[in-house]
Structure formats: structure tokens, C-alpha cells
């Protein structure tokens, strides 16, 4: 299952620091994180702006790199990806070449939603979505065991989702 492509805006400038945002910018970002399908008119009403002023601000936030893309969040169970597995990976060597080889291969793992370089006991954490434990077992045998440079893999099957959000905190400072 290939990674979902997110339609991204042109990153002409580096992202603006959060301190540069005013209260209205933060309100716009909060609303769009909750429901990016809002029309500009509906968004303007929620943040107490005229529609043209709201559109200018949203376009500015995109140009500044604060809004990277707009996606639809799917129900994992409904699309046959109800099992979430967190995987801790330890590489056998800590060289730029071994990290690069692993990262290139990890990007191709079916159902891999995220892959992070971490500190501590593991070198990487991966989040993988699959249908069930049987399909994860197949994925493990056919793909994970063949990732380059891996010394150890530890899998943690999620039993219950307590909290999952895509909303980033926006301070009021």
C-alpha cells in the first residue's frame, strides 16, 4: 500500500515562527485543523472576518508554509487497516549509509504511516496499519525481516486507541 500523497502548497518561504501569528491567524488554523472542508465564507464567519480578508489570510498562511496540505482522514477499519502496530527498530550500525538504506526501504513498507528517528533504546519507531494480526504476520515475514541493516525489531500491537489527533497545539502567546 503506497503512502498517501498530500497535495502541498509551494514552500516559497520557510515556515513562519508561531510568534508571528496573531489571534486571528491562530483561530483560522484551529478551525482548519478541525474541518478543512469549511468553505471560505463559513470559515470567515467562524473567525469574524469578511470572506475576502479570510481568503487573503489563508493564502498568506499557505505561502508562509504553515498550511502544508489538505487531506481527508479515512476510517481505518472501513478501509481494511484497523490494526495499528508500533515498531521499534535497532540498526546493527550507526552510519549515515545504514540510516539512509533503512529509511529508503522503510518508505516502501506496505501500510507504513510514519517512520521516526528516535533517541534511546531504538533507532527508529514505525507506525504501520494493517488489516489484522494475520496480515501483520505476513508483512513481518515478507517485508520487515528484509529491511537493511536491522539488528532487532520489536512490535507493539495497539489494543485500544485512547487518543489520536491531527490537531497541533496553537498557543495564544
Amino acid at each position: 500500500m503506497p503512502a498517501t500523497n498530500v497535495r502541498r502548497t509551494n514552500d516559497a518561504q520557510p515556515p513562519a515562527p508561531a510568534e508571528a501569528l496573531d489571534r486571528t491567524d491562530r483561530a483560522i488554523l484551529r478551525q482548519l485543523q478541525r474541518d478543512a472542508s469549511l468553505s471560505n465564507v463559513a470559515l470567515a464567519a467562524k473567525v469574524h472576518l469578511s470572506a475576502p480578508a479570510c481568503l487573503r489570510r489563508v493564502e498568506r498562511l499557505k505561502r508562509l508554509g504553515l498550511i502544508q496540505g489538505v487531506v481527508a482522514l479515512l476510517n481505518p477499519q472501513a478501509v481494511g487497516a484497523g490494526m495499528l502496530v508500533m515498531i521499534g527498530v535497532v540498526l546493527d550500525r550507526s552510519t549515515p549509509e545504514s540510516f539512509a538504506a533503512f529509511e529508503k526501504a522503510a518508505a516502501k513498507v506496505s501500510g507504513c504511516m510514519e517512520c521516526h528517528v528516535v533517541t534511546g533504546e531504538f533507532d527508529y519507531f514505525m507506525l504501520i496499519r494493517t488489516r489484522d494480526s494475520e496480515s501483520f504476520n505476513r508483512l513481518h515475514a515478507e517485508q520487515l525481516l528484509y529491511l537493511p541493516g536491522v539488528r532487532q525489531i520489536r512490535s507493539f500491537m495497539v489494543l485500544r486507541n485512547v487518543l489520536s489527533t491531527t490537531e497541533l497545539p496553537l498557543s495564544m502567546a
Side-chain angles (χ1 to χ4, degrees):
M1 179 175 0
T4 302
N5 291 325
V6 176
R7 185 175 46 163
R8 297 191 183 280
T9 59
N10 290 335
D11 291 338
Q13 301 174 13
E19 304 86 53
L21 300 176
D22 65 16
R23 179 176 292 180
T24 304
D25 290 334
R26 284 185 173 84
I28 289 169
L29 292 172
R30 253 188 235 92
Q31 291 298 324
L32 289 176
Q33 283 191 102
R34 290 181 187 133
D35 185 1
S37 69
L38 283 173
S39 70
N40 183 60
V41 172
L43 177 60
K46 287 182 179 280
V47 298
H48 311 292
L49 286 176
S50 68
C54 185
L55 184 59
R56 281 193 300 273
R57 281 189 179 246
V58 170
E59 291 303 318
R60 185 179 125 268
L61 293 168
K62 287 178 180 178
R63 274 193 319 277
L64 292 173
L66 284 136
I67 298 173
Q68 292 184 332
V70 178
V71 299
L73 299 176
L74 306 182
N75 177 331
Q77 286 79 12
V79 296
M83 173 164 275
L84 180 62
V85 183
M86 296 180 199
I87 298 171
V89 178
V90 178
L91 298 184
D92 57 9
R93 287 179 283 138
S94 293
T95 66
E97 296 79 20
S98 63
F99 278 78
F102 174 82
E103 290 170 15
K104 184 177 180 183
K108 296 176 184 173
V109 171
S110 301
C112 185
M113 305 294 294
E114 298 181 28
C115 183
H116 304 275
V117 177
V118 297
T119 62
E121 182 180 341
F122 297 101
D123 293 312
Y124 291 91
F125 268 114
M126 300 172 71
L127 265 61
I128 293 181
R129 284 240 172 232
T130 186
R131 186 177 58 251
D132 52 26
S133 59
E134 186 177 310
S135 62
F136 175 72
N137 193 34
R138 248 190 332 277
L139 175 78
H140 186 271
E142 295 171 3
Q143 294 182 47
L144 296 178
L145 290 177
Y146 296 100
L147 289 171
V150 173
R151 182 176 73 210
Q152 182 182 47
I153 294 176
R154 289 212 183 143
S155 303
F156 306 89
M157 293 188 176
V158 174
L159 299 177
R160 182 170 55 96
N161 183 351
V162 176
L163 174 67
S164 178
T165 183
T166 61
E167 289 185 42
L168 297 174
L170 299 169
S171 68
M172 290 303 293

